[in-house]
Amino acid sequence: MPELPEVETTMSALQPFVEKKIVSVDIKNRNLRWKIEKDFENNISNKKIISITRRAKYIIFNMLDGFIILHLGMSGNIRIQDLKSNIYKKHDHIIFYLKDKKIIYNDIRRFGSIHFTHDLKDHFLIKNLGPEPLSKDFNKKYLFDISRKSKTNIKNFIMNQKVVVGVGNIYASEALFHAGINPNRTTNSISEDDCKRLVKSIKNILKVAIKMGGTTLKDFYSVDGSEGYFKIKLKVYGRENKKCRSCKGVISKIVLNQRSTFYCDNCQK
């Protein structure tokens, strides 16, 4: 699944289309995770894109009188084509026509979604989200205070979008490794010093991943078709039974909340 760095990479690649007008949109398949609203086309046709931003894992197209909310889901990706190009792929579900380009949304599994809203902050996908991990609001005190009553494991806790947004499975495993915290530890057992290390680790991991274009697994490619390169930096994720890169231990794999979780027993207490 594309995580925050991949979404940030996609959002950044779309910046040349700010101040461009969406002339029209062709919806080939309305049946994504949520069915696309019947008035979606009318709401965005002949409307200028004022800015393109990100909130959590959502790409936001800010229009003059509303917002397009796009989520890539498990396998969604966006590509750009010249307007005259007639090359299409299976699972191309939405085509935005601009003056000289096409923005195409492709999603094999159809777990992504796209919505139009006049009120972004009150939209059901946005209104209950936690702070951005790279913001000042996500800090040691915040994480420590909010963790006191939770008895879930710490990995599941930091993946909860109501706690902090955008920390998906890959980066949760990596951040916990760098912070020296076992993913199976009960959240309310985490100390204030643990929170300080974990917040710093999450911020550092995400910054490096964004800089390197995200992590390529099976489905993610950036808008220009290039792969992410953060995978060469992974310390634990996907490295079951391999030697730890920080000690002489071996990377273990367990399943927490139906998610593969990787860690080093020796480095993470």
Side-chain angles (χ1 to χ4, degrees):
M1 173 185 289
E3 297 188 18
L4 186 148
E6 290 78 34
V7 178
E8 181 77 15
T9 299
T10 301
M11 184 272 294
S12 296
L14 289 169
Q15 292 307 306
F17 298 101
V18 171
E19 294 297 319
K20 304 294 184 182
K21 182 186 289 187
I22 297 175
V23 177
S24 62
V25 58
D26 182 10
I27 299 177
K28 304 292 187 182
N29 188 346
R30 308 190 86 89
N31 297 311
L32 302 182
R33 183 174 182 181
W34 288 280
K35 192 168 184 176
I36 299 174
E37 302 96 339
K38 62 182 181 180
D39 57 350
F40 182 84
E41 295 95 326
N42 289 334
N43 279 322
I44 71 167
S45 294
N46 287 310
K47 299 293 177 62
K48 183 185 288 187
I49 301 169
I50 304 301
S51 64
I52 302 174
T53 56
R54 178 191 56 76
R55 178 68 171 110
K57 298 180 184 180
Y58 300 99
I59 297 172
I60 312 295
F61 292 77
N62 301 280
M63 320 293 283
L64 192 61
D65 60 348
F67 307 85
I68 299 171
I69 305 172
L70 174 64
H71 192 280
L72 297 175
M74 295 286 289
S75 59
N77 63 79
I78 292 174
R79 72 181 190 276
I80 308 302
Q81 285 185 189
D82 289 333
L83 195 62
K84 294 180 180 180
S85 172
N86 290 315
I87 300 173
Y88 296 103
K89 298 180 181 180
K90 189 176 181 181
H91 310 297
D92 283 347
H93 300 310
I94 305 170
I95 304 170
F96 297 93
Y97 292 92
L98 284 70
K99 184 178 180 180
D100 57 355
K101 298 287 184 180
K102 288 182 282 191
I103 301 175
I104 302 175
Y105 176 69
N106 182 285
D107 190 349
I108 296 173
R109 302 184 189 182
R110 291 189 289 114
F111 286 165
S113 65
I114 190 163
H115 308 263
F116 178 85
T117 180
H118 292 287
D119 187 351
L120 182 66
K121 291 183 179 179
D122 198 46
H123 192 272
F124 77 98
L125 291 174
I126 304 295
K127 63 181 180 180
N128 294 319
L129 292 174
E132 290 286 333
L134 299 180
S135 72
K136 293 181 180 179
D137 293 332
F138 182 61
N139 53 53
K140 172 187 71 175
K141 184 180 185 304
Y142 166 79
L143 187 61
F144 182 73
D145 290 346
I146 200 172
S147 68
R148 294 307 84 197
K149 295 182 180 180
S150 176
K151 295 183 179 180
T152 187
N153 63 75
I154 185 62
K155 178 169 179 276
N156 186 56
F157 188 72
I158 62 174
M159 289 180 63
N160 184 337
Q161 300 299 290
K162 294 181 180 180
V163 173
V164 58
V165 302
V167 184
N169 195 38
I170 298 171
Y171 301 111
S173 288
E174 292 295 307
L176 287 165
F177 173 79
H178 283 271
I181 300 171
N182 190 292
N184 210 18
R185 275 183 61 182
T186 304
T187 297
N188 60 10
S189 74
I190 301 298
S191 70
E192 198 164 358
D193 282 342
D194 290 330
C195 289
K196 181 179 180 180
R197 294 197 315 276
L198 184 53
V199 166
K200 182 179 179 180
S201 178
I202 289 171
K203 289 178 183 287
N204 287 343
I205 288 290
L206 291 176
K207 285 178 182 177
V208 172
I210 289 169
K211 186 177 181 180
M212 300 188 76
T215 301
T216 296
L217 293 180
K218 291 182 179 179
D219 300 308
F220 175 72
Y221 293 86
S222 188
V223 170
D224 62 1
S226 62
E227 299 182 0
Y229 295 102
F230 186 72
K231 63 181 178 181
I232 64 175
K233 294 283 187 179
L234 296 176
K235 294 292 184 70
V236 290
Y237 190 88
R239 300 191 67 247
E240 180 186 7
N241 297 324
K242 294 183 179 180
K243 288 184 179 180
C244 175
R245 288 173 172 162
S246 296
C247 72
K248 295 181 180 180
V250 175
I251 303 301
S252 299
K253 175 185 174 182
I254 56 175
V255 177
L256 294 176
N257 305 97
Q258 300 181 324
R259 296 278 190 157
S260 296
T261 302
F262 302 86
Y263 67 100
C264 173
D265 247 333
N266 191 43
C267 294
Q268 295 171 259
K269 305 300 181 183

